Amino acid sequence: MRLLRVLRSQWIQVLLCLLLSLHRTSCVLASESPPTPPNIHAVIVSSSRYWFNYRHAMNALAIYRILKDNGVPDSQIILMIADEYATNARNPFKNGLYANGVDNASWYNQDTEIDYRGADVTVKSFLDATVGAAPRSIQSDSDSNLLIYVSGHGGDQFFKFQDEEEVTSQDVANLLETLSERKRFKKALFIADTCQAFTLFDKVETNNVLALGTSLKGENAYAHHSDPVLGLSVIERWTHGFANQYARSSDPKTTLDQLMVRPFKGKTALGAHVGIKENSIRFKDVLASDFFGTKNHQKQQQRRQSIKHQAAPAEALPSFDPDLSPIKQNLHLLGKSVTTADKKDKGADRKDETARKKRDHDLVDNVSLEPTDASFSALVFGFFGCLLFAQVVERHRQKKGATHIEGS
């Protein structure tokens, strides 16, 4: 009997060991299996070429990085960047794009998957990729949350692609209506960070759509700060502010209103007003995680360290693209477009405050305006106009000389 009891106890121990081993194995397999990605699809566009539009690519990469950090795979993101800034001959940091200097992490690396670049960034490719009609496009469904973000130059009811073609407010309205009819989203969020951005949504009436423009009609979108090594502006104010707000947020119930709208009330921070359109859903009722995924706090902490939280420094340059008479507009802004200097700490003495005011005053006379596509075009047309005028004068002189000879 004693032997039987011993054998029974040994069998029980073996069974317990087997069960414990199976449990551990299942836990390891569960931890190694990739998590199911959120049903979030995104189209992110930087539509401007030329080196001095570097900041538009950085705007797009800021949004792209948030999604990637939170587990949204590249298969659910269409990234469009219209110029090769990372390999540009004027980029001193080859294969790197930096918002706050080379001492911080590059927002462009080997993990950045650009779907459309250079000349492939067109109105057609944007529309086709969004509705799923292109070889490289998003494949959203009726349960998907769809994010569309565009950054570049714009004006009253239009958004420019490479200074050659435009998406109009009617195109945007038609796009969202088509997506709704084809059941390609549950909720949609469309963000435009450009001059007169909110006018792009003037004709949008589709339900379950949220739209945000970082400037109203007649207002410009401004760059946040410039990099002295690169010699140009590196990110826009609203996108920089949103990225900071997101990096600092910790509550999983944080809403879009708390990150995108409320921090930018009034005109002081941006130099423009944020406009929002809410069709059957509201910014204050929608969680940020619905469009950006569940926050990966470890990666976002690293991101926060690489995105400096600071007021726009005095040397920040205005980022604008006037519709009419660009040269006149530039001269008009020359006397008034001075960005707000960093606020002093409460313990700063009066001497530092006086020096800051003097610096701001000096900037009024020395502010350097950033070139725009429109001003560049005006210079080109002016040059060829002068050539044409010179040819006309020369032909007239030759004709007059020939007439004089015949008369003699």
Side-chain angles (χ1 to χ4, degrees), residues 83-342:
D83 209 333
E84 301 287 357
Y85 296 101
T87 57
N88 190 290
R90 284 170 286 188
N91 186 0
F93 312 123
K94 288 296 179 284
N95 298 315
L97 297 176
Y98 298 89
N100 287 287
V102 71
D103 293 335
N104 295 286
S106 170
W107 290 4
Y108 177 90
N109 52 42
Q110 67 272 17
D111 296 326
T112 305
E113 187 173 312
I114 300 177
D115 299 281
Y116 294 85
R117 64 177 75 225
D120 292 334
V121 179
T122 63
V123 171
K124 186 178 188 305
S125 62
F126 164 63
L127 297 176
D128 288 349
T130 305
V131 300
R136 288 171 292 168
S137 58
I138 57 171
Q139 301 299 322
S140 56
D141 55 40
S142 59
D143 292 324
S144 302
N145 290 329
L146 174 62
L147 169 65
I148 303 175
Y149 174 92
V150 298
S151 177
H153 290 298
D156 188 4
Q157 297 193 30
F158 70 87
F159 175 74
K160 298 203 303 190
F161 275 73
Q162 307 210 36
D163 205 28
E164 294 180 354
E165 53 182 350
E166 302 166 349
V167 164
T168 67
S169 59
Q170 188 61 60
D171 295 328
V172 171
N174 293 342
L175 171 64
L176 292 170
E177 194 62 33
T178 299
L179 290 167
S180 178
E181 291 174 355
R182 296 183 183 182
K183 301 185 183 303
R184 301 303 297 270
F185 66 81
K186 181 179 181 181
K187 292 179 290 190
L189 171 62
F190 199 132
I191 303 171
D193 193 356
T194 179
C195 297
Q196 306 191 68
F198 190 56
T199 63
L200 201 58
F201 310 119
D202 281 358
K203 300 181 180 180
V204 172
E205 297 180 355
T206 308
N207 287 332
N208 297 318
V209 170
L210 295 170
L212 183 147
T214 62
S215 58
L216 303 181
K217 183 176 180 179
E219 294 182 340
N220 295 317
Y222 289 89
H224 183 267
H225 63 276
S226 59
D227 186 294
V229 178
L230 294 172
L232 42 68
S233 303
V234 293
I235 194 169
E236 303 282 25
R237 292 185 186 180
W238 183 89
T239 298
H240 181 275
F242 165 70
N244 267 302
Q245 292 290 333
Y246 187 86
R248 293 189 298 160
S249 66
S250 58
D251 187 352
K253 295 183 179 180
T254 300
T255 65
L256 293 177
D257 177 74
Q258 291 173 302
L259 296 179
M260 295 184 167
V261 183
R262 200 178 303 173
F264 307 102
K265 289 288 186 182
K267 193 176 179 179
T268 54
L270 301 179
H273 297 87
V274 170
I276 61 172
K277 177 166 280 192
E278 303 170 308
N279 290 348
S280 72
I281 52 177
R282 299 186 296 179
F283 277 85
K284 67 179 183 179
D285 297 330
V286 178
L287 299 180
S289 58
D290 289 353
F291 288 98
F292 295 94
T294 301
K295 189 171 183 179
N296 185 322
H297 289 281
Q298 181 178 359
K299 288 189 175 182
Q300 288 302 320
Q301 179 63 26
Q302 297 171 355
R303 184 74 55 202
R304 181 182 177 184
Q305 293 173 358
S306 68
I307 305 175
K308 296 178 181 178
H309 181 66
Q310 58 184 10
E315 58 269 20
L317 300 176
S319 168
F320 61 89
D321 189 30
D323 296 330
L324 299 172
S325 187
I327 297 177
K328 180 179 178 181
Q329 181 74 4
N330 288 353
L331 292 174
H332 174 63
L333 289 174
L334 188 61
K336 71 173 185 178
S337 293
V338 180
T339 54
T340 306
D342 296 340

Side-chain angles (χ1 to χ4, degrees), residues 326-386:
I327 297 177
K328 180 179 178 181
Q329 181 74 4
N330 288 353
L331 292 174
H332 174 63
L333 289 174
L334 188 61
K336 71 173 185 178
S337 293
V338 180
T339 54
T340 306
D342 296 340
K343 292 184 177 180
K344 295 293 182 179
D345 295 331
K346 291 182 178 180
D349 57 37
R350 186 172 298 177
K351 182 178 179 181
D352 289 339
E353 182 67 11
T354 303
R356 184 187 67 81
K357 289 181 179 180
K358 184 178 184 301
R359 181 187 63 183
D360 289 352
H361 180 269
D362 292 340
L363 280 171
V364 174
D365 296 325
N366 298 292
V367 64
S368 174
L369 292 179
E370 189 167 331
T372 65
D373 296 342
S375 60
F376 177 77
S377 300
L379 289 174
V380 171
F381 281 118
F383 174 74
F384 283 107
C386 290

